[in-house]
Amino acid sequence: MEPDIAPSSHNQYNIDGRKNTAFPRHAPLANLFDVNTTEPGITAFTVSLEEESKRQQEDPPSTSGPIMTSDTDHRQDGPRPVLSRISASTSEEDVLCPIPPLPHGPDSRYERIGGQTGTSFLQTLIHLLKGNIGTGLLGLPLAVRNAGLVLGPLSLFAMGIIAVHCMNLLAKCSHHLSAKLNKPFLDYGDAVQYGMENVPWLRRHSIWGRQIVNVFLIITQLGFCCVYFVFLSDNVKQVVEASNGTTMNCHRNQTAVTVPSFDSRLYMLCFLPAIILLVFTPNLKYLAPLSLAANLAMCTSLVLIYFFCFTNIPNHINLPKVGHAKDYPLFFGTAIFAFEGIGVVLPLENKMQKPQSFNMVLCLGMGIITFLYISLGTIGYITFGEAIGGSITLNLPNCWMYQIVKLLYCFGIYITFALQFYVPAAILIPPVLSRFSERWELTVDLLIRTALVVFTCVLAILIPQLDLVISLVGSVSSSFLALIFPPLLQILTYHNEGLSPWVIVKNTLISVIGFLGFITGTYISITEIIKRNGRHDNLDVTFFQVQ
């Protein structure tokens, strides 16, 4: 097998040997789900390092023999892999952060990097819910409108089943490959790369697999950031315009007297400096208190949104059961945007204390998420009908309670921006920093972060329609990560291990559905964006003027 020569985005040292001070040593997504701790995965490494140091003092390591072997410490709570010997030729990175070895055999049951100090069942479930609930949930009522009152919920249910199945495929393939290669952890890109190495005619180009996955991860996460810009500007603009007439009366919008203000794109520019300062945070652990507050704010907002929808269902429901065929690709893009939580699967499984229980966590968590998606999408569409907006928050009455709901959710999205931005930053910045001397690393790091945020802001300004941005991002990148790649990865991973024809047909069908959704969703989204922007330019030629 060819060695992995691609520079990793999460190495402790850059490719030229200098210490990477910008990012900790872990998979890019891992830090997203453990911001309330010091460093993800470090505790288990520290314990192993302390044990190894004591052992080396008693018995210095030999320079011959294998680089690393494993022993098993049998305790009451089960076997736990520990390091028993590190050779003198081991790299400095391996000495500082030793990696627990794995038992041999693809089907071995083992504890990964999380080990005895990993996350529990409940903690992993909470992280899974947090990683899948965001702006996509608020856009689902419009998605149901595009598909129809009956077809929409049924399609969401089917998409939820397929999404969970693809997540299971990714986790299964990563587990199989990591055990087969005796590696403690494979991220999404690693899994695709090593899966391609199973096929002889793809082996020479296996590095392309990792690079393609990283490209789609970057597109997806930066797309999320664009959506956040549009969401923040639309909701804050609505709060500001209704502030003079806002009362305590929450009966729809009858009490609101809106005063037109600036164009929503000017609000994006106002948010730009604050978001740039936010992404300058050197480590996500510093955002832990704000992240906890943001989670509470978003949960409170969701409860109040559900309360309003359930208490304002109309007596007579006369909505189309099936939507127009030309609008269904928009439904697909929005739905797959909401279900695109596949990027959190491998980091969460890796951090679990007992990764063999992850399948149960995944099924339970995604079951709850699918229920929330179907319920809010359906109830929201029934409540507001054809007037539903790109986000259900834009349809809430302009009374103080629901104005506060909008602001609370905006606060949560603002803090979440840093978490989503961390992924592309962790992939793109370290290779660039390796080309500069240590004295310039901080300056270059901040400049790249600023440029990336400005880039997402410019894209949001060019496409200020929230529903179309969500559909476009979902169609372009989320369809590949969530639907197309995982089934193909299973075919590659078990290429020589007797994969049944039924599995191959099933996986091919899922990938084809994802590809058709990508083509049609992207085309319809771009067409609608051009149409709406042309209509907006005809109605308002004063782009940056006060309305």
Side-chain angles (χ1 to χ4, degrees), residues 121-122 124-130 132-133 137 140 157 160 164 302 306 339 360-376:
F121 184 98
L122 182 59
T124 306
L125 178 63
I126 293 174
H127 290 324
L128 181 64
L129 295 175
K130 182 173 68 174
N132 282 273
I133 296 177
L137 172 62
L140 287 177
F157 180 73
V164 174
L302 281 177
Y306 267 101
F339 275 110
M360 187 181 301
V361 174
L362 184 62
C363 293
L364 177 60
M366 291 306 298
I368 295 173
I369 290 166
T370 303
F371 171 77
L372 290 176
Y373 286 178
I374 294 176
S375 60
L376 185 61

PDB file of all heavy atoms in Angstrom, residues 121-122 124-130 132-133 137 140 157 160 164 302 306 339 360-376:
ATOM      1  N   PHE A 121     -23.051   7.655  26.342  1.00  0.00           N
ATOM      2  CA  PHE A 121     -24.174   7.498  25.407  1.00  0.00           C
ATOM      3  C   PHE A 121     -24.981   8.791  25.327  1.00  0.00           C
ATOM      4  O   PHE A 121     -25.279   9.293  24.237  1.00  0.00           O
ATOM      5  CB  PHE A 121     -25.053   6.336  25.877  1.00  0.00           C
ATOM      6  CG  PHE A 121     -26.187   5.999  24.954  1.00  0.00           C
ATOM      7  CD1 PHE A 121     -26.074   4.967  24.043  1.00  0.00           C
ATOM      8  CD2 PHE A 121     -27.380   6.707  25.007  1.00  0.00           C
ATOM      9  CE1 PHE A 121     -27.120   4.644  23.196  1.00  0.00           C
ATOM     10  CE2 PHE A 121     -28.438   6.407  24.164  1.00  0.00           C
ATOM     11  CZ  PHE A 121     -28.305   5.363  23.255  1.00  0.00           C
ATOM     12  N   LEU A 122     -25.333   9.356  26.486  1.00  0.00           N
ATOM     13  CA  LEU A 122     -26.157  10.565  26.508  1.00  0.00           C
ATOM     14  C   LEU A 122     -25.416  11.763  25.935  1.00  0.00           C
ATOM     15  O   LEU A 122     -25.997  12.563  25.183  1.00  0.00           O
ATOM     16  CB  LEU A 122     -26.601  10.854  27.949  1.00  0.00           C
ATOM     17  CG  LEU A 122     -27.520  12.080  28.145  1.00  0.00           C
ATOM     18  CD1 LEU A 122     -28.792  11.921  27.330  1.00  0.00           C
ATOM     19  CD2 LEU A 122     -27.839  12.285  29.624  1.00  0.00           C
ATOM     20  N   THR A 124     -23.026  11.786  23.697  1.00  0.00           N
ATOM     21  CA  THR A 124     -22.937  11.631  22.247  1.00  0.00           C
ATOM     22  C   THR A 124     -24.272  11.935  21.584  1.00  0.00           C
ATOM     23  O   THR A 124     -24.325  12.554  20.514  1.00  0.00           O
ATOM     24  CB  THR A 124     -22.488  10.202  21.893  1.00  0.00           C
ATOM     25  OG1 THR A 124     -21.284   9.892  22.588  1.00  0.00           O
ATOM     26  CG2 THR A 124     -22.253  10.069  20.404  1.00  0.00           C
ATOM     27  N   LEU A 125     -25.357  11.509  22.217  1.00  0.00           N
ATOM     28  CA  LEU A 125     -26.690  11.793  21.674  1.00  0.00           C
ATOM     29  C   LEU A 125     -26.941  13.294  21.624  1.00  0.00           C
ATOM     30  O   LEU A 125     -27.456  13.815  20.619  1.00  0.00           O
ATOM     31  CB  LEU A 125     -27.747  11.100  22.533  1.00  0.00           C
ATOM     32  CG  LEU A 125     -29.210  11.335  22.133  1.00  0.00           C
ATOM     33  CD1 LEU A 125     -29.479  10.785  20.745  1.00  0.00           C
ATOM     34  CD2 LEU A 125     -30.160  10.697  23.153  1.00  0.00           C
ATOM     35  N   ILE A 126     -26.568  14.016  22.677  1.00  0.00           N
ATOM     36  CA  ILE A 126     -26.755  15.470  22.710  1.00  0.00           C
ATOM     37  C   ILE A 126     -25.923  16.138  21.620  1.00  0.00           C
ATOM     38  O   ILE A 126     -26.395  17.043  20.914  1.00  0.00           O
ATOM     39  CB  ILE A 126     -26.393  16.022  24.101  1.00  0.00           C
ATOM     40  CG1 ILE A 126     -27.407  15.523  25.141  1.00  0.00           C
ATOM     41  CG2 ILE A 126     -26.363  17.545  24.089  1.00  0.00           C
ATOM     42  CD1 ILE A 126     -27.053  15.896  26.562  1.00  0.00           C
ATOM     43  N   HIS A 127     -24.668  15.689  21.449  1.00  0.00           N
ATOM     44  CA  HIS A 127     -23.823  16.258  20.410  1.00  0.00           C
ATOM     45  C   HIS A 127     -24.400  15.991  19.020  1.00  0.00           C
ATOM     46  O   HIS A 127     -24.339  16.857  18.135  1.00  0.00           O
ATOM     47  CB  HIS A 127     -22.415  15.671  20.498  1.00  0.00           C
ATOM     48  CG  HIS A 127     -21.642  16.129  21.690  1.00  0.00           C
ATOM     49  ND1 HIS A 127     -21.751  17.401  22.204  1.00  0.00           N
ATOM     50  CD2 HIS A 127     -20.736  15.490  22.475  1.00  0.00           C
ATOM     51  CE1 HIS A 127     -20.948  17.532  23.247  1.00  0.00           C
ATOM     52  NE2 HIS A 127     -20.329  16.379  23.436  1.00  0.00           N
ATOM     53  N   LEU A 128     -24.963  14.808  18.812  1.00  0.00           N
ATOM     54  CA  LEU A 128     -25.566  14.479  17.522  1.00  0.00           C
ATOM     55  C   LEU A 128     -26.762  15.382  17.239  1.00  0.00           C
ATOM     56  O   LEU A 128     -26.927  15.871  16.109  1.00  0.00           O
ATOM     57  CB  LEU A 128     -25.990  13.009  17.507  1.00  0.00           C
ATOM     58  CG  LEU A 128     -26.628  12.500  16.210  1.00  0.00           C
ATOM     59  CD1 LEU A 128     -25.623  12.552  15.067  1.00  0.00           C
ATOM     60  CD2 LEU A 128     -27.153  11.074  16.390  1.00  0.00           C
ATOM     61  N   LEU A 129     -27.595  15.604  18.252  1.00  0.00           N
ATOM     62  CA  LEU A 129     -28.738  16.505  18.072  1.00  0.00           C
ATOM     63  C   LEU A 129     -28.277  17.924  17.782  1.00  0.00           C
ATOM     64  O   LEU A 129     -28.811  18.602  16.890  1.00  0.00           O
ATOM     65  CB  LEU A 129     -29.623  16.475  19.325  1.00  0.00           C
ATOM     66  CG  LEU A 129     -30.310  15.145  19.648  1.00  0.00           C
ATOM     67  CD1 LEU A 129     -31.047  15.233  20.983  1.00  0.00           C
ATOM     68  CD2 LEU A 129     -31.286  14.762  18.549  1.00  0.00           C
ATOM     69  N   LYS A 130     -27.251  18.369  18.525  1.00  0.00           N
ATOM     70  CA  LYS A 130     -26.740  19.732  18.325  1.00  0.00           C
ATOM     71  C   LYS A 130     -26.153  19.907  16.939  1.00  0.00           C
ATOM     72  O   LYS A 130     -26.276  20.971  16.330  1.00  0.00           O
ATOM     73  CB  LYS A 130     -25.689  20.036  19.386  1.00  0.00           C
ATOM     74  CG  LYS A 130     -25.115  21.454  19.310  1.00  0.00           C
ATOM     75  CD  LYS A 130     -24.222  21.754  20.482  1.00  0.00           C
ATOM     76  CE  LYS A 130     -22.951  20.947  20.448  1.00  0.00           C
ATOM     77  NZ  LYS A 130     -22.002  21.320  21.500  1.00  0.00           N
ATOM     78  N   ASN A 132     -27.134  18.576  14.184  1.00  0.00           N
ATOM     79  CA  ASN A 132     -28.099  18.432  13.091  1.00  0.00           C
ATOM     80  C   ASN A 132     -29.236  19.437  13.140  1.00  0.00           C
ATOM     81  O   ASN A 132     -30.071  19.454  12.231  1.00  0.00           O
ATOM     82  CB  ASN A 132     -28.687  17.013  13.098  1.00  0.00           C
ATOM     83  CG  ASN A 132     -27.759  15.983  12.510  1.00  0.00           C
ATOM     84  OD1 ASN A 132     -27.741  15.748  11.309  1.00  0.00           O
ATOM     85  ND2 ASN A 132     -26.949  15.368  13.359  1.00  0.00           N
ATOM     86  N   ILE A 133     -29.315  20.234  14.191  1.00  0.00           N
ATOM     87  CA  ILE A 133     -30.424  21.180  14.327  1.00  0.00           C
ATOM     88  C   ILE A 133     -29.881  22.592  14.150  1.00  0.00           C
ATOM     89  O   ILE A 133     -29.026  23.029  14.925  1.00  0.00           O
ATOM     90  CB  ILE A 133     -31.120  21.030  15.687  1.00  0.00           C
ATOM     91  CG1 ILE A 133     -31.763  19.645  15.793  1.00  0.00           C
ATOM     92  CG2 ILE A 133     -32.165  22.116  15.886  1.00  0.00           C
ATOM     93  CD1 ILE A 133     -32.415  19.367  17.125  1.00  0.00           C
ATOM     94  N   LEU A 137     -33.646  23.317   9.815  1.00  0.00           N
ATOM     95  CA  LEU A 137     -34.920  22.972  10.439  1.00  0.00           C
ATOM     96  C   LEU A 137     -35.952  24.069  10.211  1.00  0.00           C
ATOM     97  O   LEU A 137     -37.121  23.789   9.922  1.00  0.00           O
ATOM     98  CB  LEU A 137     -34.711  22.732  11.935  1.00  0.00           C
ATOM     99  CG  LEU A 137     -35.952  22.554  12.798  1.00  0.00           C
ATOM    100  CD1 LEU A 137     -36.742  21.328  12.370  1.00  0.00           C
ATOM    101  CD2 LEU A 137     -35.575  22.441  14.269  1.00  0.00           C
ATOM    102  N   LEU A 140     -37.718  24.091   6.706  1.00  0.00           N
ATOM    103  CA  LEU A 140     -38.470  22.931   6.241  1.00  0.00           C
ATOM    104  C   LEU A 140     -39.955  23.201   5.971  1.00  0.00           C
ATOM    105  O   LEU A 140     -40.538  22.527   5.110  1.00  0.00           O
ATOM    106  CB  LEU A 140     -38.315  21.777   7.229  1.00  0.00           C
ATOM    107  CG  LEU A 140     -36.942  21.106   7.204  1.00  0.00           C
ATOM    108  CD1 LEU A 140     -36.840  20.028   8.266  1.00  0.00           C
ATOM    109  CD2 LEU A 140     -36.662  20.503   5.828  1.00  0.00           C
ATOM    110  N   PHE A 157     -39.661  11.677   5.548  1.00  0.00           N
ATOM    111  CA  PHE A 157     -39.493  10.403   6.247  1.00  0.00           C
ATOM    112  C   PHE A 157     -38.571   9.467   5.456  1.00  0.00           C
ATOM    113  O   PHE A 157     -37.655   8.848   6.013  1.00  0.00           O
ATOM    114  CB  PHE A 157     -40.855   9.744   6.464  1.00  0.00           C
ATOM    115  CG  PHE A 157     -40.797   8.428   7.178  1.00  0.00           C
ATOM    116  CD1 PHE A 157     -40.526   8.367   8.536  1.00  0.00           C
ATOM    117  CD2 PHE A 157     -41.000   7.244   6.490  1.00  0.00           C
ATOM    118  CE1 PHE A 157     -40.462   7.149   9.205  1.00  0.00           C
ATOM    119  CE2 PHE A 157     -40.942   6.023   7.138  1.00  0.00           C
ATOM    120  CZ  PHE A 157     -40.663   5.978   8.504  1.00  0.00           C
ATOM    121  N   GLY A 160     -35.059  10.716   5.610  1.00  0.00           N
ATOM    122  CA  GLY A 160     -34.474  10.443   6.916  1.00  0.00           C
ATOM    123  C   GLY A 160     -33.947   9.017   7.006  1.00  0.00           C
ATOM    124  O   GLY A 160     -32.850   8.773   7.526  1.00  0.00           O
ATOM    125  N   VAL A 164     -29.946   8.139   7.473  1.00  0.00           N
ATOM    126  CA  VAL A 164     -29.437   7.309   8.574  1.00  0.00           C
ATOM    127  C   VAL A 164     -28.695   6.099   8.017  1.00  0.00           C
ATOM    128  O   VAL A 164     -27.631   5.708   8.536  1.00  0.00           O
ATOM    129  CB  VAL A 164     -30.595   6.854   9.484  1.00  0.00           C
ATOM    130  CG1 VAL A 164     -30.097   5.871  10.530  1.00  0.00           C
ATOM    131  CG2 VAL A 164     -31.231   8.056  10.172  1.00  0.00           C
ATOM    132  N   LEU A 302     -37.016  27.262  19.792  1.00  0.00           N
ATOM    133  CA  LEU A 302     -37.760  26.185  19.138  1.00  0.00           C
ATOM    134  C   LEU A 302     -39.031  25.825  19.902  1.00  0.00           C
ATOM    135  O   LEU A 302     -40.082  25.582  19.299  1.00  0.00           O
ATOM    136  CB  LEU A 302     -36.872  24.946  18.987  1.00  0.00           C
ATOM    137  CG  LEU A 302     -35.863  24.953  17.841  1.00  0.00           C
ATOM    138  CD1 LEU A 302     -35.016  23.697  17.868  1.00  0.00           C
ATOM    139  CD2 LEU A 302     -36.572  25.082  16.500  1.00  0.00           C
ATOM    140  N   TYR A 306     -42.775  26.080  18.292  1.00  0.00           N
ATOM    141  CA  TYR A 306     -43.743  24.979  18.315  1.00  0.00           C
ATOM    142  C   TYR A 306     -45.028  25.407  19.017  1.00  0.00           C
ATOM    143  O   TYR A 306     -46.142  25.084  18.562  1.00  0.00           O
ATOM    144  CB  TYR A 306     -43.144  23.765  19.023  1.00  0.00           C
ATOM    145  CG  TYR A 306     -42.464  22.780  18.106  1.00  0.00           C
ATOM    146  CD1 TYR A 306     -41.081  22.759  17.974  1.00  0.00           C
ATOM    147  CD2 TYR A 306     -43.208  21.850  17.379  1.00  0.00           C
ATOM    148  CE1 TYR A 306     -40.442  21.848  17.143  1.00  0.00           C
ATOM    149  CE2 TYR A 306     -42.591  20.935  16.547  1.00  0.00           C
ATOM    150  CZ  TYR A 306     -41.209  20.941  16.431  1.00  0.00           C
ATOM    151  OH  TYR A 306     -40.592  20.039  15.602  1.00  0.00           O
ATOM    152  N   PHE A 339     -30.615  17.520   6.514  1.00  0.00           N
ATOM    153  CA  PHE A 339     -30.159  16.191   6.929  1.00  0.00           C
ATOM    154  C   PHE A 339     -28.650  16.013   6.797  1.00  0.00           C
ATOM    155  O   PHE A 339     -28.144  14.942   7.109  1.00  0.00           O
ATOM    156  CB  PHE A 339     -30.855  15.106   6.099  1.00  0.00           C
ATOM    157  CG  PHE A 339     -32.205  14.708   6.640  1.00  0.00           C
ATOM    158  CD1 PHE A 339     -33.369  15.043   5.962  1.00  0.00           C
ATOM    159  CD2 PHE A 339     -32.307  13.997   7.824  1.00  0.00           C
ATOM    160  CE1 PHE A 339     -34.606  14.668   6.446  1.00  0.00           C
ATOM    161  CE2 PHE A 339     -33.545  13.625   8.322  1.00  0.00           C
ATOM    162  CZ  PHE A 339     -34.703  13.960   7.635  1.00  0.00           C
ATOM    163  N   MET A 360     -26.794   2.532  18.020  1.00  0.00           N
ATOM    164  CA  MET A 360     -28.015   2.821  18.769  1.00  0.00           C
ATOM    165  C   MET A 360     -28.182   4.326  18.956  1.00  0.00           C
ATOM    166  O   MET A 360     -29.287   4.866  18.829  1.00  0.00           O
ATOM    167  CB  MET A 360     -27.981   2.114  20.125  1.00  0.00           C
ATOM    168  CG  MET A 360     -29.276   2.208  20.924  1.00  0.00           C
ATOM    169  SD  MET A 360     -29.151   1.384  22.533  1.00  0.00           S
ATOM    170  CE  MET A 360     -28.744  -0.272  22.005  1.00  0.00           C
ATOM    171  N   VAL A 361     -27.074   5.020  19.255  1.00  0.00           N
ATOM    172  CA  VAL A 361     -27.125   6.476  19.394  1.00  0.00           C
ATOM    173  C   VAL A 361     -27.586   7.112  18.085  1.00  0.00           C
ATOM    174  O   VAL A 361     -28.439   8.015  18.070  1.00  0.00           O
ATOM    175  CB  VAL A 361     -25.744   7.029  19.793  1.00  0.00           C
ATOM    176  CG1 VAL A 361     -25.753   8.555  19.793  1.00  0.00           C
ATOM    177  CG2 VAL A 361     -25.343   6.524  21.169  1.00  0.00           C
ATOM    178  N   LEU A 362     -27.019   6.634  16.983  1.00  0.00           N
ATOM    179  CA  LEU A 362     -27.348   7.200  15.677  1.00  0.00           C
ATOM    180  C   LEU A 362     -28.820   7.008  15.335  1.00  0.00           C
ATOM    181  O   LEU A 362     -29.496   7.947  14.896  1.00  0.00           O
ATOM    182  CB  LEU A 362     -26.459   6.553  14.614  1.00  0.00           C
ATOM    183  CG  LEU A 362     -26.600   7.094  13.196  1.00  0.00           C
ATOM    184  CD1 LEU A 362     -26.220   8.558  13.131  1.00  0.00           C
ATOM    185  CD2 LEU A 362     -25.731   6.288  12.238  1.00  0.00           C
ATOM    186  N   CYS A 363     -29.333   5.803  15.555  1.00  0.00           N
ATOM    187  CA  CYS A 363     -30.741   5.535  15.231  1.00  0.00           C
ATOM    188  C   CYS A 363     -31.675   6.351  16.121  1.00  0.00           C
ATOM    189  O   CYS A 363     -32.658   6.940  15.635  1.00  0.00           O
ATOM    190  CB  CYS A 363     -31.038   4.049  15.370  1.00  0.00           C
ATOM    191  SG  CYS A 363     -30.200   3.008  14.157  1.00  0.00           S
ATOM    192  N   LEU A 364     -31.383   6.414  17.421  1.00  0.00           N
ATOM    193  CA  LEU A 364     -32.231   7.176  18.329  1.00  0.00           C
ATOM    194  C   LEU A 364     -32.161   8.669  18.019  1.00  0.00           C
ATOM    195  O   LEU A 364     -33.199   9.347  17.923  1.00  0.00           O
ATOM    196  CB  LEU A 364     -31.805   6.916  19.778  1.00  0.00           C
ATOM    197  CG  LEU A 364     -32.554   7.708  20.856  1.00  0.00           C
ATOM    198  CD1 LEU A 364     -34.048   7.391  20.807  1.00  0.00           C
ATOM    199  CD2 LEU A 364     -31.982   7.406  22.243  1.00  0.00           C
ATOM    200  N   GLY A 365     -30.950   9.187  17.867  1.00  0.00           N
ATOM    201  CA  GLY A 365     -30.788  10.612  17.606  1.00  0.00           C
ATOM    202  C   GLY A 365     -31.414  11.039  16.299  1.00  0.00           C
ATOM    203  O   GLY A 365     -32.148  12.037  16.242  1.00  0.00           O
ATOM    204  N   MET A 366     -31.161  10.290  15.228  1.00  0.00           N
ATOM    205  CA  MET A 366     -31.724  10.663  13.930  1.00  0.00           C
ATOM    206  C   MET A 366     -33.226  10.422  13.898  1.00  0.00           C
ATOM    207  O   MET A 366     -33.947  11.083  13.139  1.00  0.00           O
ATOM    208  CB  MET A 366     -31.028   9.876  12.828  1.00  0.00           C
ATOM    209  CG  MET A 366     -29.572  10.263  12.609  1.00  0.00           C
ATOM    210  SD  MET A 366     -29.331  12.040  12.319  1.00  0.00           S
ATOM    211  CE  MET A 366     -30.286  12.272  10.810  1.00  0.00           C
ATOM    212  N   GLY A 367     -33.723   9.486  14.715  1.00  0.00           N
ATOM    213  CA  GLY A 367     -35.166   9.332  14.825  1.00  0.00           C
ATOM    214  C   GLY A 367     -35.811  10.575  15.422  1.00  0.00           C
ATOM    215  O   GLY A 367     -36.852  11.047  14.938  1.00  0.00           O
ATOM    216  N   ILE A 368     -35.205  11.104  16.483  1.00  0.00           N
ATOM    217  CA  ILE A 368     -35.707  12.343  17.093  1.00  0.00           C
ATOM    218  C   ILE A 368     -35.628  13.493  16.099  1.00  0.00           C
ATOM    219  O   ILE A 368     -36.568  14.295  15.958  1.00  0.00           O
ATOM    220  CB  ILE A 368     -34.906  12.665  18.368  1.00  0.00           C
ATOM    221  CG1 ILE A 368     -35.131  11.585  19.426  1.00  0.00           C
ATOM    222  CG2 ILE A 368     -35.291  14.039  18.918  1.00  0.00           C
ATOM    223  CD1 ILE A 368     -34.240  11.738  20.649  1.00  0.00           C
ATOM    224  N   ILE A 369     -34.504  13.587  15.392  1.00  0.00           N
ATOM    225  CA  ILE A 369     -34.309  14.678  14.428  1.00  0.00           C
ATOM    226  C   ILE A 369     -35.317  14.584  13.297  1.00  0.00           C
ATOM    227  O   ILE A 369     -35.917  15.595  12.895  1.00  0.00           O
ATOM    228  CB  ILE A 369     -32.866  14.638  13.891  1.00  0.00           C
ATOM    229  CG1 ILE A 369     -31.894  15.037  15.000  1.00  0.00           C
ATOM    230  CG2 ILE A 369     -32.707  15.557  12.686  1.00  0.00           C
ATOM    231  CD1 ILE A 369     -30.458  14.712  14.694  1.00  0.00           C
ATOM    232  N   THR A 370     -35.536  13.377  12.772  1.00  0.00           N
ATOM    233  CA  THR A 370     -36.514  13.211  11.693  1.00  0.00           C
ATOM    234  C   THR A 370     -37.915  13.588  12.166  1.00  0.00           C
ATOM    235  O   THR A 370     -38.687  14.222  11.420  1.00  0.00           O
ATOM    236  CB  THR A 370     -36.498  11.758  11.184  1.00  0.00           C
ATOM    237  OG1 THR A 370     -35.176  11.422  10.745  1.00  0.00           O
ATOM    238  CG2 THR A 370     -37.476  11.577  10.031  1.00  0.00           C
ATOM    239  N   PHE A 371     -38.266  13.223  13.399  1.00  0.00           N
ATOM    240  CA  PHE A 371     -39.571  13.610  13.949  1.00  0.00           C
ATOM    241  C   PHE A 371     -39.694  15.131  14.030  1.00  0.00           C
ATOM    242  O   PHE A 371     -40.741  15.703  13.679  1.00  0.00           O
ATOM    243  CB  PHE A 371     -39.763  12.993  15.328  1.00  0.00           C
ATOM    244  CG  PHE A 371     -40.971  13.502  16.059  1.00  0.00           C
ATOM    245  CD1 PHE A 371     -42.240  13.053  15.717  1.00  0.00           C
ATOM    246  CD2 PHE A 371     -40.851  14.444  17.069  1.00  0.00           C
ATOM    247  CE1 PHE A 371     -43.372  13.531  16.388  1.00  0.00           C
ATOM    248  CE2 PHE A 371     -41.963  14.923  17.732  1.00  0.00           C
ATOM    249  CZ  PHE A 371     -43.231  14.473  17.387  1.00  0.00           C
ATOM    250  N   LEU A 372     -38.645  15.802  14.500  1.00  0.00           N
ATOM    251  CA  LEU A 372     -38.675  17.265  14.575  1.00  0.00           C
ATOM    252  C   LEU A 372     -38.824  17.873  13.188  1.00  0.00           C
ATOM    253  O   LEU A 372     -39.597  18.822  12.988  1.00  0.00           O
ATOM    254  CB  LEU A 372     -37.400  17.780  15.241  1.00  0.00           C
ATOM    255  CG  LEU A 372     -37.230  17.503  16.739  1.00  0.00           C
ATOM    256  CD1 LEU A 372     -35.867  17.991  17.217  1.00  0.00           C
ATOM    257  CD2 LEU A 372     -38.337  18.157  17.541  1.00  0.00           C
ATOM    258  N   TYR A 373     -38.088  17.345  12.225  1.00  0.00           N
ATOM    259  CA  TYR A 373     -38.161  17.886  10.860  1.00  0.00           C
ATOM    260  C   TYR A 373     -39.563  17.735  10.283  1.00  0.00           C
ATOM    261  O   TYR A 373     -40.124  18.693   9.722  1.00  0.00           O
ATOM    262  CB  TYR A 373     -37.157  17.146   9.966  1.00  0.00           C
ATOM    263  CG  TYR A 373     -35.712  17.526  10.192  1.00  0.00           C
ATOM    264  CD1 TYR A 373     -34.695  16.907   9.476  1.00  0.00           C
ATOM    265  CD2 TYR A 373     -35.349  18.494  11.122  1.00  0.00           C
ATOM    266  CE1 TYR A 373     -33.362  17.245   9.665  1.00  0.00           C
ATOM    267  CE2 TYR A 373     -34.022  18.830  11.329  1.00  0.00           C
ATOM    268  CZ  TYR A 373     -33.034  18.207  10.592  1.00  0.00           C
ATOM    269  OH  TYR A 373     -31.719  18.528  10.787  1.00  0.00           O
ATOM    270  N   ILE A 374     -40.126  16.541  10.407  1.00  0.00           N
ATOM    271  CA  ILE A 374     -41.450  16.309   9.821  1.00  0.00           C
ATOM    272  C   ILE A 374     -42.507  17.127  10.549  1.00  0.00           C
ATOM    273  O   ILE A 374     -43.379  17.750   9.916  1.00  0.00           O
ATOM    274  CB  ILE A 374     -41.792  14.808   9.871  1.00  0.00           C
ATOM    275  CG1 ILE A 374     -40.838  14.015   8.972  1.00  0.00           C
ATOM    276  CG2 ILE A 374     -43.243  14.571   9.448  1.00  0.00           C
ATOM    277  CD1 ILE A 374     -41.036  12.510   9.047  1.00  0.00           C
ATOM    278  N   SER A 375     -42.445  17.157  11.871  1.00  0.00           N
ATOM    279  CA  SER A 375     -43.480  17.857  12.645  1.00  0.00           C
ATOM    280  C   SER A 375     -43.439  19.358  12.402  1.00  0.00           C
ATOM    281  O   SER A 375     -44.475  19.970  12.103  1.00  0.00           O
ATOM    282  CB  SER A 375     -43.323  17.556  14.136  1.00  0.00           C
ATOM    283  OG  SER A 375     -42.046  17.974  14.608  1.00  0.00           O
ATOM    284  N   LEU A 376     -42.258  19.974  12.508  1.00  0.00           N
ATOM    285  CA  LEU A 376     -42.193  21.428  12.317  1.00  0.00           C
ATOM    286  C   LEU A 376     -42.468  21.798  10.867  1.00  0.00           C
ATOM    287  O   LEU A 376     -43.147  22.803  10.607  1.00  0.00           O
ATOM    288  CB  LEU A 376     -40.826  21.958  12.739  1.00  0.00           C
ATOM    289  CG  LEU A 376     -40.689  23.490  12.707  1.00  0.00           C
ATOM    290  CD1 LEU A 376     -41.691  24.127  13.668  1.00  0.00           C
ATOM    291  CD2 LEU A 376     -39.277  23.932  13.056  1.00  0.00           C
TER     292      LEU A 376
END
